[in-house]
Amino acid sequence: MSANYNSLADRLAAVRAAIASAAGAAGRAADSVTLVAVTKSHPLATVRAAIALGQRVFGENRVQEAQVKYAALRAEDPHLELHLIGPLQSNKAKDAVALFDVIETLDRRKLAQALAAAMAKQGRRPRCFVQVNTGEEPQKAGIAPGDADAFIAECRELELPVDGLMCIPPQHESPALHFALLREIARRNGLSRLSMGMSGDFAMAIRFGATHVRVGTAIFGERVGE
Ligand SMILES: *Cc1c(COP(=O)(O)O)cnc(C)c1O
């Protein structure tokens, strides 16, 4: 496969077209879905190339990797929006609050308290999504579905700006039931944003109401080092 034939520009355009088409099929406007381009493992040059193609919203799963890549970029382009999509340790809450615009992986009390303290101290309030472990997989982060309502209430008491939910469905199951469950938890808690859907299933996630899709491989190719 020549690099040109399957260029970043082509792949990004194809993902955008697929998002617009899935949104259209669901009777939704294309701009009701935000594409979070997941750049983990990819070098700064790749991020710059995506920015040159008009992409402004990015996701990273590690605080430190994001700091290294995005510190300079943020200074150059104030319109970048950076999402944390990987597990966050409480002792990194300060760094995450300082860097990210959206923290998608709020999933336990200790982290909620650390984020609330860091926000109070820094006067910076990144929006938070609560991550729900819809498949109740022991190895996966996220609050259990049965504990979600109480946890969301607790986050609100801490005055965290929670306005959405995020999930990563189990790899070997059809994601539809997980997307539907996430949507239902959001509905009954009055949350308007749903981060769900990755390279393999973002079109289906949009049918189930995703407002944010997190797409890496379909845009940037295989991750470096995998
Ligand atoms: C890596 C990652 C993605 C992107 O996955 P692709 O299959 O490469 O699109 C989405 N969400 C999370 C939480 C991730 O860690």
Side-chain angles (χ1 to χ4, degrees):
M1 198 189 318
S2 98
N4 259 346
Y5 178 72
N6 206 356
S7 68
L8 175 61
D10 291 342
R11 289 186 305 241
L12 186 57
V15 168
R16 285 180 180 149
I19 289 172
S21 143
R28 301 175 53 194
D31 67 3
S32 69
V33 182
T34 298
L35 171 60
V36 181
V38 177
T39 52
K40 67 189 188 208
S41 92
H42 294 289
L44 183 56
T46 303
V47 184
R48 283 191 197 282
I51 292 173
L53 294 164
Q55 183 63 30
R56 286 294 176 279
V57 185
F58 294 95
E60 281 281 339
N61 68 337
R62 292 207 181 96
V63 176
Q64 211 182 342
E65 182 179 342
Q67 282 172 327
V68 170
K69 268 193 263 184
Y70 283 86
L73 291 176
R74 304 213 66 146
E76 290 165 26
D77 187 341
H79 300 298
L80 291 188
E81 182 178 302
L82 191 55
H83 291 230
L84 178 64
I85 62 168
L88 177 59
Q89 293 171 304
S90 311
N91 64 6
K92 299 249 175 73
K94 282 197 232 63
D95 295 337
V97 165
L99 182 66
F100 290 94
D101 301 293
V102 181
I103 294 172
E104 297 202 12
T105 50
L106 170 56
D107 67 350
R108 58 198 192 281
R109 174 183 302 174
K110 191 173 173 207
L111 178 59
Q113 290 168 337
L115 287 171
M119 288 185 198
K121 192 154 179 199
Q122 297 179 30
R124 209 176 174 275
R125 291 176 61 73
R127 289 187 283 125
C128 297
F129 294 178
V130 167
Q131 182 177 353
V132 182
N133 186 357
T134 56
E136 304 198 53
E137 296 173 280
Q139 81 283 10
K140 207 167 261 178
I143 190 94
D147 298 333
D149 295 358
F151 181 62
I152 292 163
E154 201 172 337
C155 292
R156 285 175 165 156
E157 262 166 49
L158 288 167
E159 295 183 15
L160 286 173
V162 174
D163 66 357
L165 300 179
M166 178 272 222
C167 76
I168 309 170
Q171 249 187 327
H172 302 292
E173 278 178 39
S174 161
L177 288 176
H178 298 274
F179 295 155
L181 174 60
L182 198 71
R183 178 177 62 186
E184 171 55 23
I185 297 171
R187 190 201 56 76
R188 69 178 183 236
N189 285 283
L191 298 169
S192 57
R193 295 188 167 88
L194 288 172
S195 173
M196 53 191 200
M198 310 180 9
S199 288
D201 56 17
F202 66 83
M204 184 192 285
I206 290 167
R207 283 214 297 281
F208 281 86
T211 61
H212 292 72
V213 293
R214 310 177 307 268
V215 181
T217 314
I219 301 172
F220 300 110
E222 290 301 314
R223 279 183 273 283
V224 182
E226 274 182 17

